[in-house]
Each structure stands twice: as structure tokens, then as C-alpha cells.
Amino acid sequence: MRDHGAMVAVGVVLSAGGHHGAAHHAGVLAALATSTGWDPRSADVVVGTSAGAVMAVGLRAGLSAADLAGHYLGVPLSPEGRTISARVTTRLHVTDPNLRPPSRRPANPMLVARELFVGGRPRPMVALTGLLPEGEVDGSSLAERAEQLHPGPWPTEATWLCAVDLDNGRRTVFGRDDVETTVGPAVQASSAVPGYFAPVEIGGRRYVDGGVHSSTNADLLAPLHLDLVVVSSSKTTSPTVDGPSDGSLARAWHSRTLRREVELITARGTTVLVLQPTTTDLATRGSSDMDDATTLQVCANGRDSALARLAHPDAVAARRLLEKATPPA
């Protein structure tokens, strides 16, 4: 993908993370647009997982970075943004996230054996998914809202939405793999948190949240030889003067996974810019990713931390690439 003359090829990765993840991405994308003039809607490829899948569809539907952030910050949307947002008429219906299905029967115990005895790096989240009972919460409102936001066929620009096949534990990438679907079921599948949301059946297969494989799935972009990959990651932690992490084992795991993915991409000669919350940012969040009471602050923190990161000397190369990727006015 390097044979593009003077053009700069940019990939965007939007992680899992519930309401906090979506708000974080909105702030990060707004910071990128403000600081460099680059429009995230022009990305050559967007990889979205769970909450990131929702935001990816928003970008491909035509929502600007300013409008995505405006939704969380309470800022009036542009006329274009209002028109696009008005298409969404289905109310998001997600019941109490503390509820759990009454069944205790594991969804697929064979996933545990596969992760323990099959070669390769074990994926504890996949094994845990096999042990958890199938969720029973209906996530169809996610599919309906995505279809209303982006009606019609799959986006013409590369849009890869990640899920995990519950029957074999393998990652499936809607929009890239040979699976026929539209954005609605793909977003619902990518967001189907194991043990809570019911798995989503597409083409006779059952799918759950893509974050089971990786909260970011950035490694998908390694073979493309892009000029720049921008990763907005809500489930990881940026080391700061406050300390290397927030003490969460899950966040530490996701952070290590992302580091390995970044190494795969940079080994191909691609510049990578990771924009993630600092430990100070995390301190202002609620205890659950699904707590929408703090999304305004999460969005503002994501924007401010991203602006600070973009001003750092080691982000100069990424900034220049984004500025080159911006068409002249």
C-alpha cells in the first residue's frame, strides 16, 4: 500500500471500552483534527472493536471528529452532523450491566482446552469466554442504531470490525473476511460482551465481542505497509509521572498486547502513534466502562491528553505525516 505517489496512507485503530471507550475516541479524534487539520473520515482503513466499531461506523457515515466530540461535550453539532445523527431513532437499550444470566452452563468449554494445549500464545480472555455462560441480554438496539447511522451496504472505504467466533475462538474481521453481513449485525457482534450480551449469529456462526481476542486488534494493519497507524486505545494505560499503570491486571494485559501489536507494525517500517489515557485520566472515570455519567469528562480528558501527546517531540513524525495527508484548502 506504499505505492501511492505523494499521498500518505493512514490507518486508524479504535479500541474496545464501552461508553468510556467511545467518549475517549471522540476526544482523541477531535484532538487529531484540531492539531493537524487531518480529517479522520479520510482514513484509508479503520479498525474498530466493540465501542470502536460503533465509532468506526460513525466516521464512515460522515460524522466529523468535531461532531463526534460535540455529542459528548454538549457542543452543538454542525448542520451535517445534525442531519446524520437525526437518522438514529432507536433508543439504546442496555439493561443493568451488573445483571448476569441465570444459567451457569459454560458457553464453550472446548475453548479452554484449545488455549491451554494448542501451540501459540495463550489468550486468557478466550479461555474465560468459553467458561462463562452465554449472555442473554438483547443487543439488537446496537444493530438498529448502526444501520440507521449508516444505512445501505457496507462502507466503500476499508472498514474492519472485529469479533470472535464463539465456536472456535478465532478472530473474525467483518469487512475483510469472507463473511456476508451489514454494519448492524457486525457492530452488535463486535460489542457482544461474553456472559452479558447474547452471542450474535451471522451466517450460521455465533460471535462475541472482538475485545476477547484483543482490545485493539492493531496487528491487522501490520501487513498493509501503511505510512502511519493511529491507535486510540481506551483499555490501556500510558505511562506517566503518576506511575506505569493503574494497577489493573486487565489493563496491564491489554497494554502488553498493544505493545506487541505496535512492534509488529513498526517492524514493517510504519510509524505508529498511540493515544491512550494517562493514569490521571483514569482516576476521573467511574468504576465501570459502561458508566455514562462521566463520559463528558472522559472525552475532554482524551482530547487534552491527545493534544499533549501530539505536542511531544517524539510525535513529530506522526504529525508531519498527518499534515501531509491533509488535502490543501
Side-chain angles (χ1 to χ4, degrees):
M1 194 173 278
R2 289 292 182 105
D3 186 20
H4 44 65
M7 297 298 292
V8 174
V10 181
V12 171
V13 175
L14 303 172
S15 78
H19 292 319
H20 288 169
H24 172 80
H25 299 326
V28 164
L29 294 172
L32 288 166
T34 299
S35 181
T36 69
W38 178 71
D39 187 342
R41 292 174 293 186
S42 69
D44 294 87
V45 56
V46 179
V47 175
T49 302
S50 198
V54 176
M55 300 300 284
V57 170
L59 283 176
R60 293 316 197 196
L63 286 173
S64 69
D67 284 333
L68 288 170
H71 169 76
Y72 291 99
L73 298 175
V75 176
L77 306 189
S78 69
E80 180 186 25
R82 289 196 298 272
T83 299
I84 296 171
S85 298
R87 296 200 293 252
V88 181
T89 57
T90 296
R91 180 177 175 272
L92 181 61
H93 180 69
V94 179
T95 55
D96 184 351
N98 294 314
L99 292 177
R100 289 295 179 263
S103 171
R104 294 183 180 275
R105 181 180 177 183
N108 185 1
M110 289 302 296
L111 292 184
V112 181
R114 177 186 294 273
E115 292 304 310
L116 289 178
F117 302 115
V118 176
R121 176 173 171 255
R123 296 172 299 164
M125 291 293 291
V126 175
L128 177 61
T129 296
L131 289 176
L132 288 171
E134 279 195 19
E136 296 183 354
V137 173
D138 179 15
S140 60
S141 65
L142 290 167
E144 292 173 12
R145 289 169 63 86
E147 294 282 1
Q148 292 162 358
L149 187 61
H150 192 289
W154 197 266
T156 55
E157 308 90 346
T159 307
W160 296 356
L161 309 183
C162 303
V164 166
D165 188 321
L166 184 57
D167 297 312
N168 59 29
R170 295 173 184 161
R171 176 173 60 190
T172 295
V173 185
F174 300 115
R176 186 202 67 168
D177 297 346
D178 188 19
V179 180
E180 187 173 345
T181 186
T182 56
V183 296
V187 165
Q188 184 183 351
S190 184
S191 307
V193 178
Y196 175 62
F197 281 117
V200 179
E201 185 170 323
I202 299 174
R205 310 289 297 184
R206 297 179 303 159
Y207 295 99
V208 294
D209 197 312
V212 168
H213 178 87
S214 163
S215 69
T216 42
N217 291 291
D219 59 300
L220 291 170
L221 298 184
L224 300 188
H225 297 280
L226 299 163
D227 295 293
L228 173 66
V229 169
V230 178
V231 180
S232 176
S233 177
S234 180
K235 300 283 284 184
T236 58
T237 308
S238 175
T240 68
V241 294
D242 303 303
S245 73
D246 69 341
S248 162
L249 290 177
R251 195 169 292 277
W253 173 265
H254 292 311
S255 297
R256 285 194 298 270
T257 299
L258 176 56
R259 284 196 294 272
R260 293 188 182 98
E261 294 173 351
V262 169
E263 288 169 0
L264 286 173
I265 301 171
T266 56
R268 308 293 182 98
T270 297
T271 299
V272 178
L273 174 65
V274 177
L275 300 165
Q276 55 193 333
T278 65
T279 51
T280 301
D281 295 338
L282 295 175
T284 66
R285 296 190 181 189
S287 59
S288 168
D289 285 342
M290 297 304 290
D291 176 15
D292 60 3
T294 56
T295 50
L296 186 155
Q297 191 60 53
V298 171
C299 181
N301 287 345
R303 177 198 59 201
D304 295 345
S305 292
L307 287 172
R309 178 77 181 87
L310 286 162
H312 196 276
D314 67 7
V316 168
R319 284 181 56 91
R320 288 176 177 169
L321 287 168
L322 288 172
E323 289 164 359
K324 287 177 64 177
T326 304

